[in-house]
Amino acid sequence: MDAAVEKASSAVEALYKAPRNGVARRELLVALAQMKSCGRQAFVQLESQRERVRERRTALDGHILGLQNLLYEREHLLRNVFLCREFTTPQLQRLQEDEGETVVKAVTTESTAVDHRANLLQLEQ
């Protein structure tokens, strides 16, 4: 592009000095055609880049929407867990007081896994 601009500039100066110079006119027309070609190439590259940005933005919007859905679901589940933990069971509390033992064990991942294995062994027998 810079070469075409330089060529056009020198052709314009030559035409300014000699307005009937046919060689300078041809050089100017060739330089202008080169500049126009460079402009078209830049436009095509810009349009290609814009399309890539549009595609990536669409993909990003999809990922963001998926993340928002997961966060909403997580909050919903946490709220349900909280409500379940806060749920009072007077019958279980009376049973616990009468029997003197805890009816519901503290649930941990490790104890749940052990209980699960024990239950599987009982089912296999």
Side-chain angles (χ1 to χ4, degrees):
M1 179 76 165
D2 292 337
V5 171
E6 195 62 41
K7 193 174 187 180
S9 190
S10 65
V12 167
E13 286 178 17
L15 277 174
Y16 183 72
K17 292 176 185 172
R20 296 188 183 257
N21 189 346
V23 175
R25 283 185 186 173
R26 265 184 264 129
E27 285 180 3
L28 179 60
L29 289 175
V30 168
L32 290 175
Q34 287 175 345
M35 289 171 56
K36 191 174 183 180
S37 173
C38 289
R40 270 184 260 139
Q41 288 174 358
F43 178 76
V44 168
Q45 288 177 354
L46 181 64
E47 230 11 76
S48 170
Q49 190 70 16
R50 282 183 182 158
E51 184 61 32
R52 275 186 269 166
V53 167
R54 253 190 306 272
E55 289 170 1
R56 289 183 180 169
R57 188 171 287 148
T58 302
L60 179 64
D61 288 343
H63 292 303
I64 288 173
L65 184 61
L67 175 63
Q68 287 174 346
N69 286 338
L70 289 173
L71 291 174
Y72 177 80
E73 185 177 347
R74 177 178 172 249
E75 287 302 314
H76 174 72
L77 293 174
L78 287 174
R79 197 175 19 228
N80 283 342
V81 166
F82 176 76
L83 289 175
C84 288
R85 285 186 178 161
E86 293 297 314
F87 186 73
T88 57
T89 51
Q91 295 87 4
L92 282 179
Q93 290 172 354
R94 267 190 249 128
L95 260 172
Q96 219 170 2
E97 290 169 1
D98 291 344
E99 306 230 351
E101 295 180 24
T102 59
V103 177
V104 179
K105 296 184 223 172
V107 178
T108 63
T109 309
E110 193 175 305
S111 69
T112 309
V114 170
D115 292 341
H116 180 67
R117 278 193 219 102
N119 289 338
L120 283 178
L121 288 173
Q122 285 179 354
L123 288 173
E124 288 175 359
Q125 296 174 353

